[in-house]
């Protein structure tokens, strides 16, 4: 069974640029959640996708957007990058249901200069 | 809005000893789940233990156990017989249990656990 994978591992961008981060869900999972973890902080919920539809969003501006594909993989897109967007971005997949664990990927470290 | 507070930024323990990490939370809901996650330097978040709010019995997973005090909204993690591999950031997290809406996790700021040989 393949776990949650994310690409790339590290990324350096400059302010104002756009970035796309990718996540492959664990086999059999239909829900993907994205979190932003700033240095020294706990993860903050960005949004969640269930069956290709956004299913909840945290307190993030519209320049943070996402997609979920029919194979349940997902992308996080961030436009007009700001210095404060520098963080570890975590993807988690799960099967919808309140007893089901969210399995996390290793994250993408984004640095905005 | 739900909040999770971890009041200990750092803790240390001697190998083979016991350590307790604290967590408090605030919610107006009666149905929810609480979690402890471990994040080692490799960054991958790993579930340590889960507690359903409707269960009075405290969850245990081998050397890990919780003290769940629902009225006090407290959810502490006890690690017994600490091992060097337990060194990591530990995050307490909350998830609502009400059907409908996202299954988002609300995390605390974390506690860095050091295990001394």
């Amino acid at each position: 069974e393949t776990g949650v994978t994310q690409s790339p591992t590290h990324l350096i961008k400059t302010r104002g640029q756009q970035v796309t981060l990718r996540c492959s869900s664990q086999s059999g999972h239909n829900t993907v959640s994205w979190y932003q973890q700033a240095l020294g902080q706990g993860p903050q919920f960005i949004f969640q996708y269930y069956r290709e539809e956004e299913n909840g969003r945290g307190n993030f501006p519209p320049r943070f957007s996402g997609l979920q594909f029919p194979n349940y993989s997902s992308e996080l897109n961030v436009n007009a990058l700001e210095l404060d967007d520098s963080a570890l971005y975590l993807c988690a997949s799960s099967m919808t249901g309140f007893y089901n664990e969210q399995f996390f990927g290793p994250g993408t470290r984004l640095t905005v200069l | 809005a739900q909040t999770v507070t971890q009041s200990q930024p750092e803790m240390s323990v001697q190998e083979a000893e016991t350590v307790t990490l604290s967590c408090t939370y605030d919610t107006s809901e009666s149905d929810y789940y609480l979690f402890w996650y471990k994040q080692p330097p490799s960054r991958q978040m790993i579930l340590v233990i889960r507690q359903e709010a409707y269960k009075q019995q405290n969850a245990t997973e081998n050397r890990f156990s919780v003290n769940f005090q629902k009225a006090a909204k407290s959810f502490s993690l006890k690690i017994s017989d600490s091992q060097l591999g337990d060194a990591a950031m530990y995050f307490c997290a909350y998830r609502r249990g009400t059907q409908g809406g996202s299954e988002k996790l609300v995390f605390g700021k974390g506690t860095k656990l050091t295990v001394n040989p």
Side-chain angles (χ1 to χ4, degrees):
Chain A
E1 185 178 79
T2 306
V4 180
T5 60
Q6 292 186 244
S7 63
T9 305
H10 296 90
L11 202 53
I12 299 175
K13 291 285 189 178
T14 56
R15 195 169 47 183
Q17 284 189 312
Q18 178 267 341
V19 69
T20 297
L21 310 182
R22 294 178 175 83
C23 171
S24 290
S25 302
Q26 186 162 315
S27 177
H29 288 181
N30 59 10
T31 301
V32 174
S33 304
W34 285 92
Y35 296 85
Q36 180 195 65
Q37 186 178 15
L39 197 62
Q41 301 294 316
Q44 297 288 317
F45 175 73
I46 303 175
F47 44 56
Q48 184 177 85
Y49 278 83
Y50 169 62
R51 292 185 176 178
E52 303 177 56
E53 297 285 332
E54 187 177 288
N55 180 38
R57 186 180 185 92
N59 189 26
F60 281 82
R63 59 190 185 83
F64 285 77
S65 63
L67 283 172
Q68 187 182 30
F69 300 100
N71 66 355
Y72 302 126
S73 65
S74 178
E75 286 183 355
L76 165 65
N77 298 290
V78 187
N79 294 322
L81 283 167
E82 301 177 359
L83 297 179
D84 285 348
D85 296 334
S86 295
L88 180 68
Y89 288 85
L90 297 169
C91 165
S93 75
S94 59
M95 272 298 291
T96 295
F98 298 102
Y99 302 97
N100 292 325
E101 176 186 349
Q102 291 189 19
F103 290 82
F104 283 82
T108 293
R109 172 73 66 191
L110 172 65
T111 301
V112 182
L113 302 176
Chain B
Q2 298 83 19
T3 59
V4 176
T5 302
Q6 294 179 248
S7 59
Q8 306 154 314
E10 297 188 26
M11 292 284 285
S12 63
V13 64
Q14 292 296 125
E15 198 174 2
E17 297 292 306
T18 295
V19 65
T20 298
L21 308 184
S22 300
C23 172
T24 58
Y25 60 94
D26 188 26
T27 183
S28 58
E29 298 177 338
S30 58
D31 184 20
Y32 53 87
Y33 297 84
L34 296 166
F35 307 85
W36 279 99
Y37 280 88
K38 170 185 177 182
Q39 187 178 40
S42 67
R43 308 183 320 202
Q44 193 136 10
M45 200 78 77
I46 302 164
L47 179 65
V48 174
I49 199 165
R50 168 175 55 200
Q51 175 79 44
E52 291 88 347
Y54 64 85
K55 289 187 177 179
Q56 291 186 335
Q57 186 172 6
N58 290 324
T60 62
E61 286 287 342
N62 301 314
R63 299 182 294 106
F64 299 88
S65 61
V66 299
N67 183 3
F68 174 48
Q69 301 290 326
K70 191 172 183 178
K73 295 181 181 174
S74 171
F75 182 61
S76 60
L77 174 69
K78 185 171 82 171
I79 306 174
S80 304
D81 186 25
S82 296
Q83 300 176 0
L84 294 177
D86 294 334
M89 285 293 293
Y90 285 81
F91 292 96
C92 179
Y94 166 101
R95 190 183 79 194
R96 61 197 290 262
T98 305
Q99 197 162 9
S102 71
E103 297 173 0
K104 71 174 184 179
L105 293 167
V106 178
F107 287 88
K109 290 187 175 182
T111 297
K112 181 180 180 181
L113 178 65
T114 301
V115 181
N116 300 309

